[in-house]
Amino acid sequence: MAAHPQTPNPNPSSPPTGVRRFYRQVADQLRALIADGNYGPGSRLPPERDIAVQLNVSRTTVREALIALELAGLVEVRGGSGVYVLARPQAQGLIIDTGDGGPGPFELLQARRVLEGEIAAMAADAIDDTGLANLEETIRQLERSGHSLPEREAADRQFHVALAEATRNSVLIQTVRLYWDMRRGPMWSRIVEHFHTPALLQAVVADHRAILSACKEHSSAAARRSMHRHLRRVEREFQQSWNEGLDLSTSGSWADETADGERETPAPTAVPGGGEKNRAS
């Protein structure tokens, strides 16, 4: 019997039929534990590190699952204290639905770091004066965006798209556009409300200028390193926006792997009550 062709997914930001976001599966596991009485209303959930070990998943997946539970109204993130159960769900219908068809924020950032480092390297080899001028203009637009989140997002997106366009590879251009179109829905909104700060805007502009400088020198290695550094910073800031609502003394510090496998830990800053916490530079 001849195989029927697969029906294309009408919404590219939604998962293919039969594919379910991993963080939602973990959110369902946590919801089931709450429903079974393992954690009653008012109780505090274990640190994300302990949950990750218990469920044999990554800490980034646990973060996304906890955000999904928060969006579902089952838990509350209390600043400097932790994540607390608000209500015990019924045992039936344990599927967490945030109304968000896109991937988890950390999952998407990880994928971007894998691909866009190589895009930057290719662009540095192939870019011409027009491409350099396009990158420069997107940076100016980013600098002018100020407190306007839509303008900032548009200028940031155009920089990464312009870099992909410099490769003259239509697949890479479409892929970068798709990645950016996935940045939507309540999961993203929950993090972004804490994420976009004036300090981060300055850091992103500096990162973009470092990538542009590498492209001007036609240095593939420098462009790749600069892009990896930029996206690691974004990952750390996403993590920081989440950690600010957790008890850092029990949830552990954040460190990331560099492209060469060495550890990179953000510089520490003081937190209320003593001790230090990690903050992206």
Side-chain angles (χ1 to χ4, degrees):
M1 179 181 296
H4 295 287
Q6 187 174 15
T7 302
N9 183 10
N11 184 356
S13 66
S14 299
T17 303
V19 175
R20 194 152 165 265
R21 301 305 182 195
F22 190 39
Y23 76 85
R24 295 188 184 185
Q25 299 177 37
V26 175
D28 286 345
Q29 289 180 275
L30 291 172
R31 183 172 178 174
L33 289 172
I34 295 172
D36 290 342
N38 290 274
Y39 306 106
S43 64
R44 174 179 164 178
L45 292 181
E48 65 177 31
R49 178 175 53 191
D50 294 351
I51 296 175
V53 172
Q54 179 183 355
L55 300 182
N56 193 29
V57 296
S58 70
R59 289 180 62 179
T60 55
T61 299
V62 172
R63 289 173 208 132
E64 292 170 345
L66 290 173
I67 294 172
L69 289 173
E70 183 185 29
L71 290 169
L74 296 180
V75 303
E76 177 186 16
V77 178
R78 300 179 186 171
S81 180
V83 181
Y84 290 81
V85 177
L86 291 179
R88 179 177 295 173
Q90 297 180 352
Q92 302 92 338
L94 291 180
I95 293 177
I96 296 289
D97 184 8
T98 63
D100 190 345
F106 300 100
E107 182 182 23
L108 180 55
L109 285 168
Q110 185 181 51
R112 284 187 59 198
R113 178 145 60 95
V114 169
L115 180 67
E116 291 196 52
E118 295 310 307
I119 288 176
M122 290 177 61
D125 268 342
I127 200 164
D128 56 17
D129 289 344
T130 299
L132 292 171
N134 288 339
L135 291 179
E136 181 69 48
E137 177 56 26
T138 67
I139 295 175
R140 292 198 188 99
Q141 291 173 0
L142 189 59
E143 290 173 325
R144 293 193 297 264
S145 65
H147 297 294
S148 172
L149 180 56
E151 290 182 18
R152 187 186 303 188
E153 286 278 281
D156 196 1
R157 179 186 191 276
Q158 189 52 41
F159 176 88
H160 289 270
V161 171
L163 199 64
E165 288 173 344
T167 68
R168 299 177 177 84
N169 184 303
S170 62
V171 175
L172 294 178
I173 296 168
Q174 292 178 32
T175 301
V176 170
R177 287 174 176 163
L178 174 62
Y179 280 177
W180 277 84
D181 289 343
M182 289 178 175
R183 291 167 54 101
R184 62 182 64 180
M187 287 287 289
W188 279 94
S189 298
R190 171 63 183 85
I191 292 182
V192 166
E193 66 186 28
H194 299 295
F195 174 54
H196 287 280
T197 64
L200 181 61
L201 174 59
Q202 294 179 3
V204 170
V205 168
D207 287 347
H208 284 195
R209 288 210 172 276
I211 296 167
L212 173 59
S213 178
C215 288
K216 287 179 178 179
E217 297 172 1
H218 296 285
S219 173
S220 296
R224 181 185 294 109
R225 285 194 304 269
S226 295
M227 180 60 76
H228 285 163
R229 187 179 301 115
H230 169 52
L231 293 178
R232 281 198 305 272
R233 185 193 306 282
V234 175
E235 289 181 79
R236 288 197 303 270
E237 287 293 334
F238 268 44
Q239 165 64 18
Q240 183 61 35
S241 72
W242 178 247
N243 272 357
E244 286 173 350
L246 301 179
D247 182 350
L248 295 174
S249 65
T250 57
S251 64
S253 61
W254 171 258
D256 198 5
E257 296 281 350
T258 68
D260 299 323
E262 60 190 27
R263 303 295 289 178
E264 178 176 316
T265 305
T269 58
V271 294
E276 293 180 331
K277 71 178 180 180
N278 287 325
R279 183 68 171 169
S281 58

mmCIF file of all heavy atoms in Angstrom, residues 234-256:
data_model
loop_
_atom_site.group_PDB
_atom_site.id
_atom_site.type_symbol
_atom_site.label_atom_id
_atom_site.label_comp_id
_atom_site.label_asym_id
_atom_site.label_seq_id
_atom_site.Cartn_x
_atom_site.Cartn_y
_atom_site.Cartn_z
ATOM 1 N N VAL A 234 21.658 35.811 27.097
ATOM 2 C CA VAL A 234 20.201 35.799 27.099
ATOM 3 C C VAL A 234 19.683 34.641 27.960
ATOM 4 O O VAL A 234 18.756 34.806 28.757
ATOM 5 C CB VAL A 234 19.660 35.694 25.663
ATOM 6 C CG1 VAL A 234 18.141 35.563 25.667
ATOM 7 C CG2 VAL A 234 20.074 36.915 24.843
ATOM 8 N N GLU A 235 20.299 33.473 27.809
ATOM 9 C CA GLU A 235 19.898 32.332 28.624
ATOM 10 C C GLU A 235 20.069 32.633 30.107
ATOM 11 O O GLU A 235 19.203 32.298 30.933
ATOM 12 C CB GLU A 235 20.716 31.100 28.249
ATOM 13 C CG GLU A 235 20.379 30.502 26.890
ATOM 14 C CD GLU A 235 21.220 29.275 26.599
ATOM 15 O OE1 GLU A 235 20.884 28.198 27.128
ATOM 16 O OE2 GLU A 235 22.221 29.388 25.872
ATOM 17 N N ARG A 236 21.187 33.253 30.464
ATOM 18 C CA ARG A 236 21.438 33.559 31.869
ATOM 19 C C ARG A 236 20.428 34.568 32.391
ATOM 20 O O ARG A 236 19.979 34.489 33.529
ATOM 21 C CB ARG A 236 22.864 34.084 32.065
ATOM 22 C CG ARG A 236 23.942 33.024 31.916
ATOM 23 C CD ARG A 236 25.248 33.489 32.509
ATOM 24 N NE ARG A 236 25.730 34.733 31.932
ATOM 25 C CZ ARG A 236 26.537 34.807 30.872
ATOM 26 N NH1 ARG A 236 26.918 33.697 30.266
ATOM 27 N NH2 ARG A 236 26.946 35.974 30.421
ATOM 28 N N GLU A 237 20.067 35.544 31.569
ATOM 29 C CA GLU A 237 19.105 36.544 32.013
ATOM 30 C C GLU A 237 17.717 35.926 32.185
ATOM 31 O O GLU A 237 16.978 36.280 33.104
ATOM 32 C CB GLU A 237 19.043 37.713 31.016
ATOM 33 C CG GLU A 237 20.255 38.610 31.074
ATOM 34 C CD GLU A 237 20.355 39.364 32.390
ATOM 35 O OE1 GLU A 237 19.314 39.601 33.032
ATOM 36 O OE2 GLU A 237 21.474 39.717 32.776
ATOM 37 N N PHE A 238 17.358 34.993 31.313
ATOM 38 C CA PHE A 238 16.095 34.284 31.490
ATOM 39 C C PHE A 238 16.128 33.510 32.803
ATOM 40 O O PHE A 238 15.163 33.506 33.568
ATOM 41 C CB PHE A 238 15.854 33.330 30.320
ATOM 42 C CG PHE A 238 15.055 33.935 29.207
ATOM 43 C CD1 PHE A 238 15.324 35.214 28.750
ATOM 44 C CD2 PHE A 238 14.027 33.232 28.616
ATOM 45 C CE1 PHE A 238 14.586 35.779 27.720
ATOM 46 C CE2 PHE A 238 13.279 33.784 27.580
ATOM 47 C CZ PHE A 238 13.560 35.055 27.139
ATOM 48 N N GLN A 239 17.262 32.849 33.060
ATOM 49 C CA GLN A 239 17.406 32.102 34.303
ATOM 50 C C GLN A 239 17.335 33.038 35.497
ATOM 51 O O GLN A 239 16.699 32.747 36.509
ATOM 52 C CB GLN A 239 18.738 31.348 34.306
ATOM 53 C CG GLN A 239 19.173 30.830 35.672
ATOM 54 C CD GLN A 239 18.243 29.799 36.246
ATOM 55 O OE1 GLN A 239 17.448 29.229 35.494
ATOM 56 N NE2 GLN A 239 18.330 29.553 37.534
ATOM 57 N N GLN A 240 17.987 34.201 35.395
ATOM 58 C CA GLN A 240 18.005 35.134 36.506
ATOM 59 C C GLN A 240 16.611 35.651 36.823
ATOM 60 O O GLN A 240 16.223 35.791 37.981
ATOM 61 C CB GLN A 240 18.923 36.320 36.200
ATOM 62 C CG GLN A 240 19.053 37.304 37.351
ATOM 63 C CD GLN A 240 19.637 36.671 38.598
ATOM 64 O OE1 GLN A 240 20.495 35.788 38.493
ATOM 65 N NE2 GLN A 240 19.176 37.086 39.756
ATOM 66 N N SER A 241 15.823 35.945 35.775
ATOM 67 C CA SER A 241 14.471 36.450 35.999
ATOM 68 C C SER A 241 13.641 35.431 36.762
ATOM 69 O O SER A 241 12.746 35.784 37.525
ATOM 70 C CB SER A 241 13.802 36.787 34.661
ATOM 71 O OG SER A 241 13.466 35.617 33.950
ATOM 72 N N TRP A 242 13.959 34.150 36.572
ATOM 73 C CA TRP A 242 13.244 33.093 37.293
ATOM 74 C C TRP A 242 13.814 32.926 38.697
ATOM 75 O O TRP A 242 13.083 32.811 39.674
ATOM 76 C CB TRP A 242 13.353 31.796 36.507
ATOM 77 C CG TRP A 242 12.702 30.618 37.151
ATOM 78 C CD1 TRP A 242 13.303 29.513 37.659
ATOM 79 C CD2 TRP A 242 11.299 30.425 37.354
ATOM 80 N NE1 TRP A 242 12.365 28.653 38.158
ATOM 81 C CE2 TRP A 242 11.137 29.188 37.982
ATOM 82 C CE3 TRP A 242 10.179 31.199 37.058
ATOM 83 C CZ2 TRP A 242 9.883 28.674 38.329
ATOM 84 C CZ3 TRP A 242 8.931 30.704 37.414
ATOM 85 C CH2 TRP A 242 8.798 29.459 38.035
ATOM 86 N N ASN A 243 15.142 32.965 38.823
ATOM 87 C CA ASN A 243 15.769 32.770 40.128
ATOM 88 C C ASN A 243 15.396 33.857 41.122
ATOM 89 O O ASN A 243 15.446 33.638 42.320
ATOM 90 C CB ASN A 243 17.303 32.735 39.987
ATOM 91 C CG ASN A 243 17.813 31.336 39.710
ATOM 92 O OD1 ASN A 243 17.041 30.383 39.668
ATOM 93 N ND2 ASN A 243 19.098 31.215 39.508
ATOM 94 N N GLU A 244 15.066 35.054 40.637
ATOM 95 C CA GLU A 244 14.714 36.138 41.540
ATOM 96 C C GLU A 244 13.467 35.806 42.351
ATOM 97 O O GLU A 244 13.226 36.397 43.392
ATOM 98 C CB GLU A 244 14.518 37.438 40.765
ATOM 99 C CG GLU A 244 15.836 38.026 40.307
ATOM 100 C CD GLU A 244 15.650 39.230 39.398
ATOM 101 O OE1 GLU A 244 14.497 39.474 38.975
ATOM 102 O OE2 GLU A 244 16.638 39.901 39.105
ATOM 103 N N GLY A 245 12.683 34.833 41.879
ATOM 104 C CA GLY A 245 11.503 34.425 42.625
ATOM 105 C C GLY A 245 11.710 33.169 43.434
ATOM 106 O O GLY A 245 10.768 32.653 44.014
ATOM 107 N N LEU A 246 12.948 32.652 43.480
ATOM 108 C CA LEU A 246 13.209 31.407 44.184
ATOM 109 C C LEU A 246 14.160 31.624 45.343
ATOM 110 O O LEU A 246 14.841 32.638 45.445
ATOM 111 C CB LEU A 246 13.817 30.369 43.221
ATOM 112 C CG LEU A 246 12.958 30.016 42.006
ATOM 113 C CD1 LEU A 246 13.693 29.005 41.146
ATOM 114 C CD2 LEU A 246 11.617 29.447 42.430
ATOM 115 N N ASP A 247 14.225 30.633 46.210
ATOM 116 C CA ASP A 247 15.171 30.669 47.313
ATOM 117 C C ASP A 247 16.509 30.197 46.774
ATOM 118 O O ASP A 247 16.756 29.008 46.606
ATOM 119 C CB ASP A 247 14.683 29.738 48.435
ATOM 120 C CG ASP A 247 15.589 29.766 49.648
ATOM 121 O OD1 ASP A 247 16.684 30.363 49.549
ATOM 122 O OD2 ASP A 247 15.206 29.198 50.675
ATOM 123 N N LEU A 248 17.420 31.123 46.505
ATOM 124 C CA LEU A 248 18.679 30.787 45.851
ATOM 125 C C LEU A 248 19.579 29.938 46.725
ATOM 126 O O LEU A 248 20.463 29.248 46.228
ATOM 127 C CB LEU A 248 19.401 32.073 45.435
ATOM 128 C CG LEU A 248 18.660 32.892 44.372
ATOM 129 C CD1 LEU A 248 19.384 34.203 44.134
ATOM 130 C CD2 LEU A 248 18.541 32.123 43.094
ATOM 131 N N SER A 249 19.371 29.976 48.034
ATOM 132 C CA SER A 249 20.220 29.187 48.915
ATOM 133 C C SER A 249 19.969 27.695 48.759
ATOM 134 O O SER A 249 20.801 26.878 49.118
ATOM 135 C CB SER A 249 19.969 29.579 50.373
ATOM 136 O OG SER A 249 18.642 29.237 50.763
ATOM 137 N N THR A 250 18.774 27.325 48.208
ATOM 138 C CA THR A 250 18.470 25.908 48.031
ATOM 139 C C THR A 250 18.354 25.515 46.574
ATOM 140 O O THR A 250 18.448 24.340 46.240
ATOM 141 C CB THR A 250 17.150 25.541 48.729
ATOM 142 O OG1 THR A 250 16.104 26.373 48.227
ATOM 143 C CG2 THR A 250 17.255 25.707 50.230
ATOM 144 N N SER A 251 18.139 26.486 45.687
ATOM 145 C CA SER A 251 17.941 26.120 44.279
ATOM 146 C C SER A 251 19.255 26.052 43.516
ATOM 147 O O SER A 251 19.294 25.596 42.396
ATOM 148 C CB SER A 251 17.019 27.125 43.581
ATOM 149 O OG SER A 251 17.594 28.402 43.527
ATOM 150 N N GLY A 252 20.330 26.518 44.105
ATOM 151 C CA GLY A 252 21.623 26.414 43.459
ATOM 152 C C GLY A 252 21.912 27.577 42.551
ATOM 153 O O GLY A 252 21.046 28.363 42.211
ATOM 154 N N SER A 253 23.161 27.734 42.165
ATOM 155 C CA SER A 253 23.572 28.835 41.292
ATOM 156 C C SER A 253 23.503 28.395 39.846
ATOM 157 O O SER A 253 23.374 27.220 39.537
ATOM 158 C CB SER A 253 24.995 29.287 41.641
ATOM 159 O OG SER A 253 25.895 28.228 41.455
ATOM 160 N N TRP A 254 23.615 29.359 38.962
ATOM 161 C CA TRP A 254 23.513 29.106 37.530
ATOM 162 C C TRP A 254 24.873 29.216 36.880
ATOM 163 O O TRP A 254 25.611 30.142 37.086
ATOM 164 C CB TRP A 254 22.556 30.110 36.895
ATOM 165 C CG TRP A 254 22.539 30.072 35.407
ATOM 166 C CD1 TRP A 254 23.144 30.934 34.554
ATOM 167 C CD2 TRP A 254 21.870 29.125 34.583
ATOM 168 N NE1 TRP A 254 22.881 30.594 33.256
ATOM 169 C CE2 TRP A 254 22.118 29.488 33.234
ATOM 170 C CE3 TRP A 254 21.087 28.004 34.840
ATOM 171 C CZ2 TRP A 254 21.596 28.771 32.171
ATOM 172 C CZ3 TRP A 254 20.587 27.298 33.770
ATOM 173 C CH2 TRP A 254 20.836 27.680 32.460
ATOM 174 N N ALA A 255 25.230 28.243 36.106
ATOM 175 C CA ALA A 255 26.438 28.313 35.302
ATOM 176 C C ALA A 255 26.129 27.684 33.969
ATOM 177 O O ALA A 255 25.247 26.846 33.849
ATOM 178 C CB ALA A 255 27.592 27.570 35.980
ATOM 179 N N ASP A 256 26.863 28.064 32.950
ATOM 180 C CA ASP A 256 26.575 27.581 31.610
ATOM 181 C C ASP A 256 27.856 27.066 30.991
ATOM 182 O O ASP A 256 28.949 27.399 31.415
ATOM 183 C CB ASP A 256 26.002 28.713 30.759
ATOM 184 C CG ASP A 256 25.285 28.180 29.536
ATOM 185 O OD1 ASP A 256 25.169 26.951 29.415
ATOM 186 O OD2 ASP A 256 24.851 28.998 28.718
#
